[in-house]
Amino acid sequence: MRTLRFLVNKLNSWSVLSVIFIVLILSPNIDILIHMFTKPNENWLHIKTYLLKDYIINSAILVVMTGVFCTLAGTIMAWLISAYNFPLRNFFKWALILPLAIPPYIAAYTYNGILDYTGVVQTFLRNDLGIQVNPRYFDIMSIYGAVFIFTMVLFPYVYMITRAFLEKQSASLIENARLLGKNSFEIFIYVILPISRGAILGGATLVALEVLNDYGVAAYFGVQTFSTAIFKTWFALGDIDSALKLAALLMLSVFGIVLLEKILRGRKKYNLTSKVRPIIRKQLKGAQAFLAVFICFVFFSFGFIIPTLQLLQWSILTYEKILNIYFIQLMFNSVWVALVASVLIITISVVIANFSRIEDNWFAKLISKLTLVGYSIPGAVIAIGVILFITQMDHQLQWLYKMIDPNSITLVLGTSIVMLLFAYVIRFLAVGYQSVESGFDKVGKKFFEASRMLGKNVTQTFIQVDYPMLKPAIISGFALTFVDIMKELPLTLILRPYNFDTLATKTYEYANNEMVHEASIASLIIILVSLCAIYLLYKLGDKEKI
Amino acid sequence: MFIEIKGLCFRYPKAPKAVIEDFSLTIEQGEVICILGESGGGKSTVLRLVAGLEVPSKGRIRINDITMVDESVFVQPEKRGVGMVFQDYALFPHMTVAENIRFGLNKMSNKEKDHRITQMLDLVSLGDYKKRYPYELSGGQQQRVAIARTLAPKPSLLLLDEPFSNLDAHLRGKIREEIKIILRQTNITVIFVTHDEEDAKSMADRVVILKEGKIIDIADPKLVC
């Protein structure tokens, strides 16, 4: 009887929908893991014997080197900005976030354009200075070039998280260390680094996940990584089974990284709940001030100014040719597909977050945690999982298709935009969800309970009470997902329907066809939209401090 | 007998001890019952169980001869016809005073709703505050709006959770008297919880003394302390 009461009490549209959404989102990923254990074919033996080692080594070099460089650069600049005053500090404080607006694949082809034989650097040396240099010295299209690109556009992850953390730390920590006779360098090594460990690791993990997710940079530079290998095995060799095995391995390594982060983070938490006196910044003068400005300026220039200026110059050269009706169609495609996917993501986020707030038990917490899974899974893995899943669905639904139209093709969902939208939802649900969930956290449960006591059910309460209060969180969640989707490359590249191009895919296509100049305007639009989102994030962060 | 609570138990998952143990009480129509006890003693949990905001692990609650909860039944809070005034009032910040009160009025014409809002605001002497937002009111005024909002849909039972704890000491006595008058006027059955004996003495018909989740006495308020 009690079970029946439990079921009647708990079964409502919010809980049922939450479970359905999570099952749908997890299914493609579980499909991949299951395929890891299927019988390997000849191709796989070939891959395993001759190629897999390279994929692993290359991916590891990219992740480790980028991780180390980003951690160094991000932490040093976070410390400079939080602990010192120097000329232009306030400008660099937010300017150092801007490189995040440039998707790595755009940075990759822009730098290659700058440095190649006809690029601005070699032309300047040759024509203006009369110096003949070996073009090989300027070849960025290697694994180390890729590390450079990733470092320059991804270091802000570490910078942002570490700076936000340091800003919340108490001045007394540093003052005590100073009174105990430590100099600035020692304080940085013995106090700041250990207490910021969690924040730095959090940033570094995001960097590692972004590197593993990348397809554009590695493919453009010809570096064999897991992601490029998945594409190649699948498209060039037509071997979906082996591609699935590679995807499963990549997924496991991602879980490994996330687990490693948890272990390294340890149990220590240095969260200070009470109000603290913030760190008082020390004034830097002379050579020290110059050095601080120099470091910030170098990273800001390489991460943002140089590629943006180059893209601007190229766009002036090509705008007459590019800006036509076809380009408007591209923009329209990018916008509507991002719009639809963002609406879906926010709707699902709201349903699950509300369910998890109301129920507040282990099951609801688990469902809430599972929404975050997709964000750590690389695009190539999600893509292959989604294709497999949707193809299976199409076969299951044959009877329905035949009933509606006897001449129906086999793959109905599989050739439609549904596949791409589904993949976006899996990959970016975490972005929208975190925003919506933090909104629910702020609103709390008391208004919900008050409304229930005044005779409104869960859905009526959501519409009349929760939604008006959640609006800011919903809008920011929507904006962040929208931008992430507009920038996205690997999923869009594989899963888009035939003849469907977006700004991101066209940019990549132009660059791949040696038409880097033509790619500039689409790239600039993507960067501009991303800048808007960064501004929004920055503003929201500021508000929270108050 | 208007309300019958029998053998009520409640424990949070994984908690070693029950918050409420074997709580039984019957209440007559129009009676004002005070549950008195220290904080953390389970007082508010009793209200939340009666309201339907928590599900008891054992026991039965019947209101007006209808079973609200037992082994096989659980009536959702919005279907119980019970009103509750929260400790921090929980007035919807995005709605004016009038909109807050209108919120609980269902199945009425707009004219009837307007009439009821005016009636309630007159009852709590806040007739001129219709268009104010909650943050534009003092603590005492917010509380009166919360009471008006709760009474507007004519609940059969009113629950008050620490109704005076958020008020300044010098306001307490005055507001206590006002609330007492309002409650007497409406002749509604009330359960309120407090840790203040003065509240119990001045307002209640009977006082239930609760300690660590168990009833240790049910007494006449004049005899408490």
Side-chain angles (χ1 to χ4, degrees):
Chain A
M1 277 313 250
R2 194 169 288 177
T3 324
L4 190 69
R5 182 188 78 176
F6 177 83
L7 283 178
V8 172
N9 190 12
K10 302 289 179 194
L11 275 183
N12 55 45
S13 43
W14 296 81
S15 57
V16 173
L17 278 176
S18 293
V19 174
I20 292 176
F21 288 147
I22 283 296
V23 169
L24 273 176
I25 284 161
L26 288 186
S27 301
N29 300 312
I30 292 170
D31 250 5
I32 288 182
L33 286 180
I34 291 171
H35 269 80
M36 201 165 69
F37 304 106
T38 53
K39 202 168 157 271
N41 57 21
E42 249 174 61
N43 267 338
W44 176 249
L45 291 177
H46 173 80
I47 292 170
K48 211 171 106 184
T49 322
Y50 301 106
L51 303 169
L52 191 59
K53 205 174 106 197
D54 282 346
Y55 301 156
I56 294 176
I57 291 175
N58 285 343
S59 293
I61 289 177
L62 283 177
V63 167
V64 172
M65 287 183 77
T66 310
V68 169
F69 289 139
C70 283
T71 304
L72 280 175
T75 316
I76 289 172
M77 276 179 278
W79 175 233
L80 279 177
I81 297 283
S82 347
Y84 298 100
N85 265 335
F86 50 87
L88 294 176
R89 177 202 165 267
N90 285 340
F91 167 74
F92 282 126
K93 188 181 166 192
W94 61 268
L96 287 173
I97 308 175
L98 297 186
L100 275 189
I102 303 188
Y105 61 91
I106 292 180
Y109 81 72
T110 311
Y111 268 104
N112 186 47
I114 293 173
L115 292 171
D116 69 8
Y117 188 75
T118 52
V120 61
V121 175
Q122 290 201 44
T123 321
F124 176 72
L125 289 175
R126 211 168 38 235
N127 298 349
D128 295 307
L129 301 180
I131 305 171
Q132 286 296 333
V133 283
N134 187 342
R136 210 154 44 93
Y137 298 148
F138 293 94
D139 184 12
I140 196 176
M141 297 183 75
S142 67
I143 191 163
Y144 303 108
V147 170
F148 168 79
I149 297 291
F150 285 133
T151 305
M152 283 308 157
V153 296
L154 297 179
F155 81 86
Y157 279 121
V158 181
Y159 162 75
M160 248 176 14
I161 297 177
T162 312
R163 197 201 72 203
F165 175 81
L166 286 175
E167 273 174 0
K168 280 186 233 138
Q169 294 310 302
S170 165
S172 57
L173 272 177
I174 290 157
E175 285 163 5
N176 263 319
R178 219 169 261 167
L179 288 174
L180 290 165
K182 302 286 180 214
N183 63 31
S184 297
F185 181 72
E186 286 170 322
I187 292 173
F188 180 68
I189 299 290
Y190 296 116
V191 180
I192 298 306
L193 279 187
I195 61 165
S196 323
R197 190 173 70 176
I200 296 171
L201 271 170
T205 308
L206 282 180
V207 170
L209 294 178
E210 283 288 337
V211 172
L212 283 179
N213 174 49
D214 168 76
Y215 169 74
V217 178
Y220 189 65
F221 282 5
V223 182
Q224 295 294 329
T225 62
F226 262 116
S227 284
T228 58
I230 291 171
F231 279 67
K232 207 171 83 181
T233 315
W234 184 6
F235 290 123
L237 302 176
D239 180 359
I240 194 156
D241 279 337
S242 301
L244 274 166
K245 282 197 170 16
L246 283 171
L249 282 178
L250 179 53
M251 193 144 109
L252 287 182
S253 40
V254 162
F255 291 155
I257 286 179
V258 176
L259 195 70
L260 189 70
E261 188 215 352
K262 290 254 179 302
I263 294 168
L264 286 177
R265 214 182 255 259
R267 279 181 296 124
K268 289 180 196 158
K269 277 192 180 148
Y270 303 103
N271 285 345
L272 299 169
T273 43
S274 57
K275 276 205 165 176
V276 291
R277 194 161 44 91
I279 296 171
I280 295 166
R281 291 190 296 276
K282 208 170 133 184
Q283 186 69 44
L284 290 182
K285 286 194 181 114
Q288 284 180 328
F290 175 78
L291 190 67
V293 175
F294 181 75
I295 293 174
C296 294
F297 184 72
V298 164
F299 276 88
F300 177 55
S301 307
F302 279 107
F304 187 75
I305 293 285
I306 293 173
T308 310
L309 285 180
Q310 179 64 83
L311 287 170
L312 274 174
Q313 192 231 336
W314 287 342
S315 66
I316 292 167
L317 295 177
T318 53
Y319 76 94
E320 280 178 333
K321 191 171 138 196
I322 293 295
L323 289 180
N324 51 28
I325 191 82
Y326 177 66
F327 191 81
I328 292 170
Q329 176 71 40
L330 281 183
M331 274 178 58
F332 178 76
N333 282 353
S334 280
V335 168
W336 86 254
V337 88
L339 211 65
V340 174
S342 304
V343 168
L344 286 173
I345 285 171
I346 293 299
T347 312
I348 295 173
S349 299
V350 162
V351 170
I352 298 179
N354 197 22
F355 162 71
S356 132
R357 171 184 70 149
I358 295 166
E359 287 307 328
D360 200 21
N361 53 28
W362 68 268
F363 180 68
K365 282 203 184 85
L366 176 74
I367 296 259
S368 151
K369 284 265 175 263
L370 287 175
T371 57
L372 307 179
V373 169
Y375 200 65
S376 51
I377 300 176
V381 179
I382 292 179
I384 197 162
V386 164
I387 290 198
L388 192 69
F389 181 74
I390 294 272
T391 318
Q392 286 165 351
M393 287 270 280
D394 268 335
H395 285 293
Q396 297 290 328
L397 292 173
Q398 274 313 297
W399 60 272
L400 183 72
Y401 302 155
K402 292 280 179 228
M403 211 167 76
I404 298 166
D405 174 13
N407 302 321
S408 158
I409 47 170
T410 320
L411 297 176
V412 173
L413 292 174
T415 49
S416 71
I417 195 84
V418 171
M419 202 146 71
L420 182 58
L421 291 172
F422 185 40
Y424 282 151
V425 171
I426 297 179
R427 171 119 176 98
F428 295 113
L429 181 61
V431 180
Y433 184 80
Q434 277 179 327
S435 197
V436 172
E437 191 193 32
S438 74
F440 269 117
D441 277 351
K442 259 185 222 150
V443 173
K445 222 174 159 178
K446 64 177 181 181
F447 300 112
F448 168 81
E449 288 181 342
S451 164
R452 297 293 300 276
M453 295 308 300
L454 290 163
K456 304 283 195 254
N457 64 27
V458 180
T459 308
Q460 288 164 329
T461 300
F462 176 77
I463 295 167
Q464 293 179 37
V465 177
D466 294 322
Y467 174 69
M469 292 198 235
L470 278 175
K471 245 189 219 161
I474 287 182
I475 291 171
S476 69
F478 182 86
L480 295 177
T481 1
F482 182 84
V483 172
D484 263 350
I485 294 173
M486 280 220 30
K487 281 158 65 176
E488 207 285 335
L489 183 66
L491 289 177
T492 324
L493 213 51
I494 315 176
L495 298 175
R496 66 200 160 128
Y498 182 69
N499 255 347
F500 182 88
D501 272 310
T502 66
L503 289 174
T505 60
K506 201 68 199 170
T507 303
Y508 180 76
E509 217 172 87
Y510 275 138
N512 240 8
N513 296 336
E514 304 288 325
M515 294 164 79
V516 281
H517 295 191
E518 281 76 358
S520 58
I521 293 181
S523 307
L524 280 174
I525 293 176
I526 293 175
I527 293 171
L528 197 71
V529 176
S530 309
L531 282 177
C532 296
I534 289 172
Y535 177 76
L536 183 80
L537 258 183
Y538 190 74
K539 278 279 145 203
L540 286 176
D542 261 6
K543 241 188 228 167
E544 262 163 30
K545 261 176 248 158
I546 302 162
Chain B
M1 178 182 56
F2 179 62
I3 295 167
E4 185 199 11
I5 304 171
K6 207 162 177 186
L8 208 59
C9 289
F10 179 78
R11 88 168 51 225
Y12 287 104
K14 288 183 193 163
K17 242 181 111 229
V19 186
I20 297 293
E21 252 185 288
D22 200 19
F23 185 103
S24 300
L25 182 69
T26 51
I27 303 170
E28 299 301 326
Q29 170 86 48
E31 219 181 350
V32 177
I33 294 287
C34 169
I35 302 179
L36 181 69
E38 288 160 9
S39 40
K43 306 184 299 282
S44 296
T45 310
V46 175
L47 288 197
R48 294 177 63 81
L49 287 165
V50 174
L53 297 172
E54 306 283 357
V55 186
S57 41
K58 250 199 292 191
R60 187 177 75 191
I61 300 172
R62 286 168 69 83
I63 300 176
N64 224 355
D65 284 333
I66 301 166
T67 302
M68 293 295 156
V69 62
D70 66 9
E71 289 277 296
S72 55
V73 177
F74 181 83
V75 177
Q76 293 289 342
E78 66 267 23
K79 303 260 169 68
R80 292 194 180 196
V82 172
M84 180 158 167
V85 178
F86 290 76
Q87 195 170 353
D88 49 9
Y89 318 135
L91 293 175
F92 304 127
H94 59 293
M95 296 182 193
T96 61
V97 167
E99 285 164 351
N100 260 287
I101 299 175
R102 184 184 288 270
F103 186 86
L105 300 174
N106 304 315
K107 292 175 193 154
M108 272 188 194
S109 70
N110 277 337
K111 212 174 156 193
E112 283 170 324
K113 282 181 185 171
D114 289 337
H115 177 70
R116 184 76 180 145
I117 292 167
T118 315
Q119 203 181 5
M120 292 322 293
L121 284 173
D122 287 345
L123 178 75
V124 295
S125 324
L126 285 173
D128 299 334
Y129 291 79
K130 258 187 191 173
K131 290 189 177 152
R132 297 273 187 103
Y133 281 92
Y135 64 86
E136 296 172 319
L137 304 176
S138 70
Q141 289 167 336
Q142 287 186 16
Q143 189 192 36
R144 280 186 280 160
V145 175
I147 291 179
R149 181 178 75 172
T150 310
L151 291 176
K154 299 186 181 163
S156 55
L157 167 67
L158 176 66
L159 308 171
L160 301 165
D161 189 1
E162 296 273 6
F164 311 110
S165 67
N166 273 345
L167 300 173
D168 292 340
H170 69 278
L171 269 175
R172 272 181 98 110
K174 184 173 164 269
I175 292 193
R176 203 154 47 201
E177 283 311 306
E178 283 176 14
I179 304 280
K180 201 168 138 186
I181 295 166
I182 295 168
L183 297 183
R184 294 288 175 223
Q185 275 178 353
T186 47
N187 192 31
I188 188 170
T189 314
V190 180
I191 308 178
F192 78 98
V193 308
T194 181
H195 60 270
D196 188 337
E197 285 152 14
E198 285 303 312
D199 294 346
K201 270 187 205 165
S202 73
M203 288 184 57
D205 296 323
R206 272 193 298 157
V207 179
V208 176
I209 300 171
L210 199 68
K211 199 172 180 188
E212 290 173 1
K214 287 181 194 154
I215 297 179
I216 55 168
D217 197 9
I218 299 178
D220 187 301
K222 292 182 196 93
L223 302 175
V224 175
C225 297

